[in-house]
Structures are given as C-alpha cells and as structure tokens.
Amino acid sequence: MGIVTSVSVWLIPSFILIVLLVASWKKVPAYETFVEGGKEGVKMAFSLLPFLVGMIVSISILRASGAMEAFIGLIAPLLSLIGIPPDIIPLALVRPISGTAALGMTTELIQTHGPDSFIGRLASTMQGSTDTTLYILTVYFGAVGIRKMRYALKVGLLADVIGIVASIIVVRFVFG
C-alpha cells in the first residue's frame, strides 16, 4: 500500500480520534455537542428548502419554455460578428443561477465540440472564471435572514460579466 493510500485511509479516523481526545481532555460532552450541531444543521437545511425549490423551478421554466433558445437565435448574428460562438451563451446565462446546470451544459459542450475545441476551452475557462451569484445570494443571504441585498447582486453579476468577457479574451488570445 502506497503512502498516499495509507494517509487517506487513516486521516479521517485519526482526526475523529483527536477530536474525541481533545473533547475528553477539555471535558466537553462530545456526543451531546455533536447531536446539537446535527439539530442545527437539519433546521438550516429546512430553512433553505424554499429558496432551493424556487431556484430549481425557475431554471426548469427557463429551459422548458424555449425562451433561452429564442434569445440566442435573436442575438446569434451579433455574436457571430464579434467572434463569440452562440453555443456558449446558455452557459453564460445559466452559470450565475446554478452551478449544477452550468456544469451539465459545460459537459454537454465538451462532449459535442471536444475538450480541445475553442468552445470546449471557453466553456471550461468560463466555468472556472464565474460563480453562481444568484444561488449564493439566495441560499446564503436567505440562511442568515438578509432580505435587502443592496449592492451584492449588482456587484456579483458585474463580476460574472467580467469573468465571462475575460474568459473570451483569454481563450481567444491563448488558444485563438
């Protein structure tokens, strides 16, 4: 058995043992503390459920309605003029909403066009250069009870736009 395998097999059990030993040494009721943390985690999960369901329903409606395809068809001539492949636009639009949906789109683009194609490289770069802004705001702000997002939404979406534009520029420059 290799060193990495040995470390990975023993790392978590060793960590748990160390936590239990320190808890015993400091006279902290480890099991009761663990159960209390579990209760808080379940409460948190249930409080996030409405926000997550809302996000999932919104994404499903957007994809099933055909609105995204219609929008892409509308702007495809403009995108072709400036050298942006229209196939990448659904990823750019969905990435701020859902990481899972964006990952599925990235996987589909790579399977269709290949990992070493311009679109495959652009999708991969875009996936790493942007974030799930709306998901983050919905889940994390909702979890702590923040109702007024103020500038967070604007700044987050601006950062996503900058990430998308930077991805296009970098991939065109490096792999162009």
Side-chain angles (χ1 to χ4, degrees):
M1 185 159 40
I3 293 174
V4 173
T5 304
S6 297
V7 169
S8 65
V9 167
W10 287 102
L11 187 66
I12 293 177
S14 299
F15 178 74
I16 292 171
L17 180 64
I18 290 168
V19 167
L20 291 174
L21 289 173
V22 170
S24 295
W25 179 57
K26 293 191 172 207
K27 301 196 184 333
V28 173
Y31 182 74
E32 291 80 6
T33 305
F34 173 77
V35 170
E36 279 301 312
K39 285 180 186 177
E40 289 178 25
V42 169
K43 286 179 188 175
M44 178 70 71
F46 278 116
S47 72
L48 294 177
L49 198 56
F51 300 105
L52 293 173
V53 169
M55 292 295 291
I56 291 168
V57 169
S58 300
I59 292 167
S60 298
I61 289 170
L62 181 66
R63 293 187 85 184
S65 70
M68 189 177 307
E69 287 78 18
F71 176 70
I72 293 166
L74 187 67
I75 63 170
L78 174 66
L79 295 173
S80 296
L81 285 174
I82 57 176
I84 299 172
D87 292 349
I88 206 73
I89 298 305
L91 175 61
L93 294 175
V94 169
R95 178 68 177 145
I97 300 170
S98 169
T100 305
L103 184 59
M105 289 180 167
T106 300
T107 302
E108 187 177 310
L109 286 169
I110 290 172
Q111 286 175 346
T112 303
H113 300 282
D116 293 329
S117 67
F118 179 77
I119 291 175
R121 289 175 171 155
L122 181 56
S124 299
T125 306
M126 197 177 290
Q127 184 78 6
S129 301
T130 57
D131 209 340
T132 54
T133 302
L134 297 176
Y135 175 83
I136 289 169
L137 293 177
T138 301
V139 173
Y140 297 128
F141 279 36
V144 294
I146 297 173
R147 297 285 176 230
K148 295 183 180 179
M149 295 180 196
R150 198 163 167 102
Y151 299 111
L153 178 61
K154 293 175 189 171
V155 171
L157 291 175
L158 178 63
D160 286 331
V161 168
I162 291 169
I164 290 165
V165 171
S167 297
I168 293 167
I169 292 168
V170 167
V171 171
R172 178 136 340 262
F173 181 73
V174 173
F175 300 109

